[in-house]
Amino acid sequence: MSLLVVGSVAFDNVRTPHGEAREILGGAATYFSVAASWFVPVRVVAVVGEDFDENHMQVFRDRGIDTTGLERAPGRTFRWQGEYAGDMNVARTLDTQLNVFETFAPKIPAAYLASEYVFLGNIDPVLQLHVREQLPHARLVALDSMNYWITGKLDDLKKVLATVQVLVINDGEAKMLSGHSNLRRAAEAIRELGPQILVIKRGEYGASLFAHDTVFAAPGFPLDTVRDPTGAGDTFAGGFMGHLAKTGDLSEANLRRAVIYGSVMASFAVEEFGLGRLLRLTAPQISDRFFEFKKLTHFDV
Amino acid sequence: MSLLVVGSVAFDNVRTPHGEAREILGGAATYFSVAASWFVPVRVVAVVGEDFDENHMQVFRDRGIDTTGLERAPGRTFRWQGEYAGDMNVARTLDTQLNVFETFAPKIPAAYLASEYVFLGNIDPVLQLHVREQLPHARLVALDSMNYWITGKLDDLKKVLATVQVLVINDGEAKMLSGHSNLRRAAEAIRELGPQILVIKRGEYGASLFAHDTVFAAPGFPLDTVRDPTGAGDTFAGGFMGHLAKTGDLSEANLRRAVIYGSVMASFAVEEFGLGRLLRLTAPQISDRFFEFKKLTHFDV
């Protein structure tokens, strides 16, 4: 099935206790599409600047990602600079240069309009709604957002939330959006806003799924070394939506598997800086780690 | 099988966003023994003051807990006052009055000397070692500790760690004890100190088990309301050791079940202030929540 992502493409400068990387390809749409490309063909809608060259484009093409919707605009590509310290659960943003992303107006190519699975990455909710309205054939639309929009554009965010089936969000932002510090209450309040499937990302602590009146909890994968958490959330979303688009199965049992595939992909992403590990994956490695998650969580009753 | 706990009995004053309770029965040995009493007969070694009356004693007796080792000393019982705010993961201690606990020298009654399962609650590691040496028949000895002893009496703590099979500890303390912020590396370093079974408690995020060269991760139970987290860690230890003592089975599969029983008991404990919920439990409620944990974590491969 067809999977479409709308979001940011960026060049990142990242510093963690394990090192530093400069001008590496990043952004929500990038991490999402590379992760999802291990499951289904992906279509990307994003904007890049004149400094985005053939080598960068080749990263997408090598993963079979359709870049028809990757618009090139005059100016420089979006840049983000951040660092992680201590337990690396939170990034400290040192610098953001929106550049061409500042005036991003997502244009959906005609060939994308029949997309059935859609991920609206973390951008202005006004733009998210604009994209949503152009995709009437979507069977499953998922959305990510952040504190910036929850604080600054709550009414617009609520408008687009009422039109989507899935919200994938951090636990802190789920609490902020709902006004509840208890996760179960937060989930109830958010589901009243529209999305009946709620995935709450909890960083190294894993992810929780609220859907079909049940709760599913997946732990974080215990890694020896976490080198760079950048993009972990979007990579998770890529694995989650990729598995759903591949199988076309929205049953509760399959949503649970999708959460595990999201966790699998995120666990690989953080092992190296940038996209490194995600690009060098193999299908058996993904499948092996899926089974390792089973061993990690299984107990006999 | 016989299960012995050595630790504190206290009167607590607790304030949380859900209310306040004053002079309620608490302490590590209390929470542990009440939780474990749902699995096996428990023997308690602790000290109380002259203000510990028949009604308090009756709480232990009603749960079939052997109080031969509950020493009454001149003076007042240990008192702790604390409050929880925000996400309630960390208590802020407002006041501690050690009282009779200050000169606590655990005396093991003759009838307890053959105890096979032992929990050394969070007390001075010198005392923990003293108790350990009096119990040569113990099949499984578990120990809890805290930052205060890790900082102040590390050599003594290492001596007793070398004599026990299980360490049950908070994640922050595991990191402090091992010098590793990564949990898997922390676990490796701690197992080199002695205990081959390591249980790391992560509050609302659940617990992890490192044993037999595998890792098991259990999530926290998603509750509607957490009223009072006091004693959750010791309650967890009570369910964990209670299940092991009841079954006598130290296989990896059964250690995993023990982690879930620990999580089950802790999830009940935090639903009300003090011991309230743990005293009103029924065996079917425990069993039901065990199966709810299974539903919470299960996915088909």
Side-chain angles (χ1 to χ4, degrees):
Chain A
M1 310 253 186
S2 49
L3 175 57
L4 168 65
V5 55
V6 181
S8 60
V9 170
F11 291 127
D12 294 338
N13 285 348
V14 182
R15 193 161 57 218
T16 84
H18 296 278
E20 194 169 355
R22 303 188 65 82
E23 294 279 308
I24 54 171
L25 186 55
T30 309
Y31 279 102
F32 180 96
S33 58
V34 169
S37 73
W38 287 96
F39 299 83
V40 283
V42 181
R43 301 157 169 179
V44 62
V45 171
V47 63
V48 297
E50 291 155 320
D51 49 0
F52 189 89
D53 64 25
E54 267 308 301
N55 292 331
H56 301 124
M57 194 63 95
Q58 200 58 39
V59 173
F60 288 83
R61 291 204 193 105
D62 285 347
R63 292 297 317 144
I65 297 162
D66 185 335
T67 55
T68 313
L70 202 58
E71 177 194 353
R72 191 184 295 264
R76 278 158 60 84
T77 300
F78 177 31
R79 271 166 174 76
W80 178 79
Q81 184 172 348
E83 71 174 1
Y84 300 82
D87 64 5
M88 303 220 285
N89 279 317
V90 183
R92 191 161 77 94
T93 292
L94 300 174
D95 188 33
T96 301
Q97 298 173 17
L98 290 175
N99 300 328
V100 296
F101 195 60
E102 189 161 12
T103 52
F104 178 44
K107 297 169 194 65
I108 314 296
Y112 288 9
L113 291 176
S115 297
E116 289 176 279
Y117 292 81
V118 177
F119 182 69
L120 304 173
N122 169 29
I123 58 175
D124 187 329
V126 174
L127 299 179
Q128 288 178 321
L129 182 60
H130 180 65
V131 171
R132 174 68 186 100
E133 286 171 343
Q134 292 175 68
L135 299 163
H137 303 293
R139 184 176 173 215
L140 191 77
V141 182
L143 179 145
D144 185 17
S145 194
M146 69 184 295
N147 45 13
Y148 183 77
W149 307 118
I150 296 169
T151 314
K153 291 204 173 184
L154 185 57
D155 287 345
D156 293 305
L157 181 55
K158 284 185 177 175
K159 267 183 214 156
V160 65
L161 277 175
T163 73
V164 306
Q165 290 79 42
V166 186
L167 176 65
V168 181
I169 197 168
N170 288 335
D171 51 357
E173 285 153 2
K175 290 172 184 177
M176 184 186 280
L177 175 59
S178 66
H180 290 283
S181 67
N182 176 287
L183 221 53
R184 195 187 271 269
R185 284 169 191 264
E188 274 170 31
I190 288 170
R191 292 175 70 186
E192 283 173 16
L193 297 175
Q196 292 305 297
I197 300 168
L198 173 64
V199 181
I200 296 182
K201 300 173 289 182
R202 311 177 93 182
E204 68 162 313
Y205 298 111
S208 297
L209 166 75
F210 295 82
H212 297 288
D213 291 321
T214 73
V215 190
F216 173 59
F221 193 76
L223 294 164
D224 273 338
T225 307
V226 172
R227 282 198 182 74
D228 175 14
T230 309
D234 296 301
T235 303
F236 174 94
F240 177 80
M241 289 295 286
H243 175 72
L244 293 177
K246 177 183 179 179
T247 56
D249 173 1
L250 303 182
S251 68
E252 191 218 338
N254 202 47
L255 288 169
R256 288 176 175 230
R257 279 189 290 266
V259 167
I260 299 297
Y261 277 111
S263 306
V264 163
M265 300 310 286
S267 76
F268 283 121
V270 303
E271 286 183 358
E272 293 182 17
F273 278 83
L275 296 164
R277 188 70 186 92
L278 292 180
L279 295 174
R280 277 192 302 95
L281 274 174
T282 65
Q285 286 172 339
I286 294 170
S287 158
D288 283 354
R289 189 156 290 181
F290 182 86
F291 284 101
E292 285 181 63
F293 261 96
K294 186 67 191 173
K295 281 197 285 186
L296 176 65
T297 58
H298 179 78
F299 63 96
D300 295 307
V301 293
Chain B
M1 310 253 184
S2 49
L3 175 56
L4 167 66
V5 54
V6 181
S8 60
V9 171
F11 292 126
D12 294 339
N13 285 348
V14 181
R15 193 162 55 217
T16 84
H18 296 278
E20 193 169 354
R22 303 189 65 82
E23 293 279 310
I24 54 171
L25 185 55
T30 309
Y31 279 102
F32 180 95
S33 57
V34 169
S37 72
W38 288 96
F39 298 83
V40 283
V42 181
R43 300 158 169 177
V44 61
V45 171
V47 63
V48 296
E50 292 156 318
D51 50 0
F52 189 89
D53 64 25
E54 268 308 301
N55 291 332
H56 301 123
M57 194 64 95
Q58 199 59 39
V59 172
F60 288 83
R61 291 205 193 105
D62 284 347
R63 292 298 316 144
I65 298 163
D66 185 335
T67 55
T68 312
L70 202 57
E71 177 194 353
R72 191 185 295 264
R76 277 158 59 87
T77 299
F78 177 31
R79 270 165 175 76
W80 178 79
Q81 183 173 350
E83 69 173 3
Y84 300 82
D87 63 5
M88 304 219 285
N89 279 318
V90 183
R92 191 162 77 93
T93 293
L94 300 174
D95 188 33
T96 302
Q97 297 171 19
L98 291 175
N99 299 330
V100 297
F101 195 61
E102 188 159 11
T103 53
F104 179 44
K107 295 167 196 67
I108 314 295
Y112 287 9
L113 292 175
S115 297
E116 290 177 278
Y117 292 81
V118 177
F119 183 67
L120 304 172
N122 169 29
I123 58 174
D124 187 329
V126 173
L127 299 179
Q128 289 178 321
L129 183 60
H130 180 65
V131 170
R132 174 69 186 99
E133 286 171 343
Q134 293 174 67
L135 299 163
H137 302 293
R139 184 177 175 214
L140 191 77
V141 182
L143 179 145
D144 184 17
S145 194
M146 68 183 295
N147 45 14
Y148 182 77
W149 308 116
I150 296 169
T151 313
K153 291 205 174 183
L154 186 58
D155 287 345
D156 293 305
L157 181 56
K158 283 185 177 173
K159 266 184 215 156
V160 66
L161 276 175
T163 73
V164 306
Q165 289 80 42
V166 186
L167 177 64
V168 182
I169 198 169
N170 289 335
D171 51 356
E173 286 153 1
K175 290 172 184 178
M176 184 186 279
L177 175 60
S178 66
H180 290 283
S181 67
N182 177 286
L183 221 52
R184 196 187 271 269
R185 285 168 191 265
E188 274 170 31
I190 288 171
R191 292 174 70 187
E192 282 173 16
L193 297 175
Q196 291 305 296
I197 299 168
L198 174 64
V199 181
I200 296 183
K201 299 173 290 182
R202 312 177 93 183
E204 68 163 312
Y205 298 111
S208 298
L209 166 75
F210 296 82
H212 298 287
D213 292 321
T214 73
V215 190
F216 173 59
F221 193 76
L223 293 164
D224 273 339
T225 307
V226 173
R227 282 198 181 74
D228 175 13
T230 310
D234 296 300
T235 303
F236 174 94
F240 177 80
M241 289 296 285
H243 176 72
L244 293 177
K246 177 183 179 179
T247 55
D249 172 0
L250 302 182
S251 68
E252 191 218 338
N254 202 47
L255 288 169
R256 288 176 175 230
R257 278 189 292 267
V259 167
I260 298 297
Y261 277 112
S263 306
V264 164
M265 300 310 285
S267 76
F268 284 120
V270 303
E271 287 183 358
E272 293 181 17
F273 279 84
L275 297 165
R277 188 72 187 89
L278 291 180
L279 295 175
R280 276 192 301 98
L281 275 174
T282 64
Q285 286 173 339
I286 295 171
S287 158
D288 283 354
R289 190 156 290 180
F290 182 86
F291 283 102
E292 285 182 62
F293 261 97
K294 186 68 191 173
K295 280 197 287 185
L296 176 66
T297 58
H298 180 78
F299 63 96
D300 296 308
V301 293

